[in-house]
Amino acid sequence: MRHLLLALPFALLPLAVAQAAHDHDHDHHDAHGSLDKHEHGVAALNVALDGQTLELGLESPAMNIVGFEHAANSDAARAKVAAARAQLEQPLALFALPPEAGCTVAGQELESPLFGNDGHDHDHDEHEHSDIDAEYRLTCAQPEQLKTLDLSAFFKQFPGTLKLNVQLIGPNGQKGAELTPANPRLGF
């Protein structure tokens, strides 16, 4: 499931290097010296279409999705995590695709320390910056009908997300876009 999404960062490496140099110049508030990019309100979405397979990979600070990053230590916090997970388990509701494309969910994987399944060892610094990662594999009967990806529902469900940096590889090549609640659509 990850082959296309894993190739995406390498295809966009020149852009990432330029952005990293820019970020390094402006990232003086990280007291922990973390190497990971973690900005509240901002998430990344990688989209790759290969034949009838559409893969989506979301990386977001937990703050954008549930409103906090610490372990869920109350009933209310556990309920928020459970509700967010249930919403993330409905990718066709969050990532609107043209119905005529006939896309169905073929597989998905959600990972986060908040879900208790990320498989990583954590020290105290990492607990302060929890992420939520979601990977989806869709099969589309008519992939040529994939003209747009509409993230209006995603922004509505997760209002803590103010910006989605989207990288797309599709039949027309690769492109990047910055989507916001006011500009939630991307053309293939």
Side-chain angles (χ1 to χ4, degrees):
M1 177 162 126
R2 297 181 182 201
H3 72 285
L4 289 174
L5 292 176
L6 289 174
L8 188 60
F10 293 110
L12 300 168
L13 188 58
L15 294 172
V17 170
Q19 183 65 39
H22 176 77
D23 290 345
H24 179 71
D25 292 342
H26 294 93
D27 189 19
H28 49 79
H29 66 278
D30 187 359
H32 302 295
S34 172
L35 296 175
D36 292 338
K37 181 93 172 121
H38 184 96
E39 184 179 350
H40 294 170
V42 179
L45 180 66
N46 294 318
V47 182
L49 177 62
D50 184 21
Q52 291 185 313
T53 301
L54 178 65
E55 293 187 1
L56 303 159
L58 174 70
E59 299 172 11
S60 177
M63 179 67 76
N64 301 352
I65 305 295
V66 296
F68 57 87
E69 295 187 327
H70 56 77
N73 51 15
S74 69
D75 288 342
R78 283 187 285 278
K80 275 190 155 190
V81 170
R85 184 175 186 138
Q87 291 166 334
L88 289 167
E89 289 174 343
Q90 304 295 321
L92 295 176
L94 293 175
F95 309 108
L97 298 165
E100 53 274 11
C103 297
T104 58
V105 179
Q108 64 182 350
E109 185 177 334
L110 302 176
E111 293 182 355
S112 174
L114 298 180
F115 301 153
N117 69 346
D118 69 336
H120 296 102
D121 292 328
H122 296 278
D123 62 26
H124 66 283
D125 288 343
E126 289 176 312
H127 282 297
E128 294 174 15
H129 293 291
S130 295
D131 289 331
I132 294 176
D133 297 328
E135 293 184 16
Y136 306 100
R137 184 172 25 96
L138 308 178
T139 301
C140 300
Q142 303 290 326
E144 66 279 2
Q145 297 297 320
L146 289 171
K147 306 291 186 207
T148 60
L149 173 63
D150 187 336
L151 298 168
S152 299
F154 182 89
F155 285 115
K156 184 179 272 190
Q157 287 293 333
F158 304 117
T161 304
L162 306 175
K163 179 171 61 171
L164 262 171
N165 293 318
V166 181
Q167 299 296 326
L168 178 133
I169 294 178
N172 298 319
Q174 60 189 25
K175 65 168 103 173
E178 188 176 285
L179 302 183
T180 64
N183 179 32
R185 289 176 193 81
L186 175 69
F188 276 79

